[in-house]
Every structure is written in C-alpha cells, then in structure tokens.
Amino acid sequence: MAEETKESVGVEYWLKWQVGVCALIILIPSTVAAAIAAKRIRNKRGGGGDELRRSDLWVPCWSNLNPVWVCVYRVFAMVIMGWILYQMVIFAGFWSFYFYTIWTFTLLAVYFAIGALISAQECMMYVKGPVNVGEKEKLLKNKEVINGLQNHGYHDEASDKAGYLGNIMHIMYLTCAGAVLMTDIVFWCVLVPMLAGTFELNLLMISIHSLNAVFLLGDSALNRLPFGWFGLIYFFLWGAIYVSTQWILHARGLTWWPYPFLDLANPWAPLWYLGLTLFHIPCYGIYVLIVKGQASVCSRLFPNAFVRSDARILQKKAA
C-alpha cells in the first residue's frame, strides 16, 4: 500500500507515457481557446467587435416584463443555490469543492449574485436618477419606455458599456451553459446507472444535479444576453482549469481522484481525456440549440413581445 501511494505521487507516476499524451490533449485546445479569447478582447477594444451593452445585463427579452422581475428571479436563485451550497459543506465538508459539479454550481451561484447586483443597481438608478428616455417615474411602468430600452439601449452608447464586471458576468453565463449540462448529463446518464446499488440518492444530491439546469434555463428565458458558439472557448478553459488544479493537487501529494477516469495511471486515460474534451462540443451545442430555438419560436409566436438577444447585431448587418 505504501509503495502504491509512493508511485501515485512520485516521479515515476508523472513519467508515464499517458501523462504526456493527456497533457497535450488538454494543452492544445486550451491554447487555441485562450488565443481566440485574447483576439476577441483585442477586437472589442479596437471597436471591431459587437461590444456587450450594460442594458443586455438586466433588461429582459420580453417587452411587457418589468425588469424588476429579472432582479427578483436572480436574487431568488442566488439565495436557494447559496443555501444548497451551505448544506453541502455541512454534509460533506469543504472536500465537496474537490468535484467539478460543485465548481460549476458555485460559478452559477456567483453569476446570479453578480446578475442580481447589477439588476438592482440599474433598476434603482433609473428610478431615482434622470434618464434620456422618458420620465424617471415611468421607467418601470411605461410599456413604451421598456420597449425603447430593449430595442435601442436605455441611454447613450458611451454610458451603456457593460464594463469589467458585466463582461465577467457574461463569460460566467456562457461557461455555465455547457458546464451545467455536462455535469447533469454525466451524473444522470453515466454515474447513477453505473453506481446503482452502491449509493443512495438524497434530496441534496438531486437538487445539485437538477436545480442548476432549471435556474439557468429560467434565466435564459428571461435575459437578453448575447449567446453563440463563441462561448465554447470559455467552457474549454473552465474544464482545463479544473483538470490542471487536480494535477497540481496530486503533484503535491493527494492520491485520490474525484473521478476515476481522470487517473493518469490508467493506460486508457488518453482516450478518456480525449472523449471528455470532445464531449464539451455537444454539451455546449445542446444549449445553443435551446437558446436559438427559443429565439426562433418566440419571435414568430410573439413578434411584438419578444426581443431577440441578437437583434442589435441583425440590425447592423441589415444596415
């Protein structure tokens, strides 16, 4: 047993041939994703890309819906998810953060926290302060004002930039879209059938692997954040950060892997790593289809009530 532990953390373990192959499987797509992300940032700074607007962060995609309800929904999701995380720490301790599922669940909770903060700030600001569209007391009551906010941005372009925190929130949203589906699909379709009879599902585990998707889908049905395949790069980087963290922890002496398929001692590890890397694409693709499907169906069924998140981009192309 001592020799096995020594091998699992010693130099011999990291000199196995599959370690180098797995490293390349993680490094190559991560490098490409980081390069694309850096290029997008440069394009936005140079004015060559479609810059995220502040109004995209808090104005709903439904013209008849008061923006306050988006804020209320995000606060509700944040509180429930925070309580579930608290219960998870009590149940399993801080070792629960050893799992990718809890990483993603926490990221989504932080997304809702930032979203609730921005929504609350903007709603309060334009109730109390002057605006360039309509009277301030009518902002959250007047249907025409809300339509103007959604279609044209709520005030001048100079002050309608999302800012650093807004862009971080958007990246979290894009990352969670793929990560939430991956954790839930792997759990319900792979781990539960594989480990049937060896453990019992409790309400906490069911909540963690279901409410994350429910809350995220609900937010997607309300918000007008731009969404597309470009978010896949952040999803790749999120997975690479998690795997790299696991490698660092094991290099420092930890011997237990939270997921058996991450164990580099397995000669089949390269196939597992390659499969997981490729699995990012369909997971993210499913969410792309959901968001695009919603936009396509709702814009046809409710043309006067639904505002597409890419309406501004489409207007630019048409012009």
Side-chain angles (χ1 to χ4, degrees):
M1 185 68 178
E3 292 180 1
E4 181 181 352
T5 303
K6 182 179 179 180
E7 180 185 3
S8 63
V9 296
V11 177
E12 298 85 358
Y13 182 84
W14 299 103
L15 292 179
K16 294 179 183 293
W17 66 269
Q18 58 264 36
V19 174
V21 176
C22 290
L24 289 176
I25 293 174
I26 298 299
L27 183 61
I28 293 175
S30 300
T31 302
V32 173
I36 296 175
K39 183 178 180 181
R40 285 183 58 85
I41 294 175
R42 289 195 299 269
N43 289 341
K44 286 184 178 181
R45 289 178 177 176
D50 296 303
E51 189 169 4
L52 183 68
R53 290 186 175 183
R54 185 81 174 177
S55 53
D56 294 331
L57 305 174
W58 67 285
V59 177
C61 60
W62 298 95
S63 59
N64 294 323
L65 183 65
N66 194 308
V68 172
W69 287 111
V70 177
C71 180
V72 171
Y73 177 83
R74 288 171 171 172
V75 170
F76 174 76
M78 176 194 67
V79 171
I80 297 298
M81 296 187 73
W83 181 83
I84 292 175
L85 281 173
Y86 172 73
Q87 293 297 321
M88 191 65 192
V89 171
I90 293 178
F91 175 74
F94 285 98
W95 279 102
S96 56
F97 287 93
Y98 205 39
F99 292 88
Y100 182 81
T101 299
I102 304 302
W103 275 46
T104 300
F105 198 88
T106 303
L107 182 69
L108 184 59
V110 174
Y111 160 76
F112 278 119
I114 296 176
L117 176 63
I118 292 177
S119 293
Q121 286 179 337
E122 296 302 318
C123 289
M124 292 298 296
M125 181 186 305
Y126 289 97
V127 166
K128 294 181 178 180
V131 293
N132 295 334
V133 284
E135 299 177 3
K136 63 182 180 180
E137 64 270 14
K138 297 181 179 179
L139 175 64
L140 300 180
K141 299 179 181 179
N142 192 319
K143 177 180 176 181
E144 294 181 359
V145 172
I146 293 178
N147 286 339
L149 285 172
Q150 292 174 316
N151 289 319
H152 308 294
Y154 55 87
H155 53 140
D156 60 283
E157 293 187 4
S159 57
D160 195 20
K161 294 182 179 180
Y164 178 78
L165 188 60
N167 281 284
I168 291 296
M169 172 187 167
H170 189 212
I171 291 175
M172 288 181 174
Y173 173 63
L174 297 171
T175 303
C176 288
V180 164
L181 285 188
M182 172 176 278
T183 56
D184 290 358
I185 290 174
V186 170
F187 181 78
W188 291 110
C189 298
V190 178
L191 295 180
V192 171
M194 182 184 301
L195 301 177
T198 61
F199 78 102
E200 293 183 3
L201 285 174
N202 55 39
L203 182 60
L204 186 59
M205 295 180 66
I206 294 175
S207 299
I208 288 177
H209 294 91
S210 59
L211 288 182
N212 54 357
V214 172
F215 283 139
L216 185 61
L217 288 170
D219 193 76
S220 297
L222 295 175
N223 72 46
R224 56 170 297 177
L225 286 168
F227 192 91
W229 278 103
F230 60 91
L232 181 62
I233 60 178
Y234 304 113
F235 182 26
F236 269 129
L237 291 173
W238 178 248
I241 292 172
Y242 175 78
V243 173
S244 299
T245 302
Q246 291 298 321
W247 283 30
I248 292 173
L249 291 175
H250 281 75
R252 294 184 62 86
L254 290 177
T255 60
W256 178 75
W257 294 90
Y259 303 101
F261 44 77
L262 294 180
D263 190 354
L264 297 169
N266 188 341
W268 297 99
L271 290 180
W272 277 110
Y273 276 73
L274 179 61
L276 287 172
T277 300
L278 295 177
F279 191 51
H280 281 67
I281 299 175
C283 286
Y284 192 84
I286 291 173
Y287 210 93
V288 170
L289 291 177
I290 292 174
V291 174
K292 299 299 182 182
Q294 175 205 359
S296 177
V297 172
C298 292
S299 60
R300 293 180 182 179
L301 295 179
F302 313 102
N304 297 323
F306 183 79
V307 181
R308 295 171 61 107
S309 61
D310 57 353
R312 184 175 72 252
I313 299 175
L314 294 176
Q315 289 174 1
K316 283 185 177 182
K317 291 182 178 179

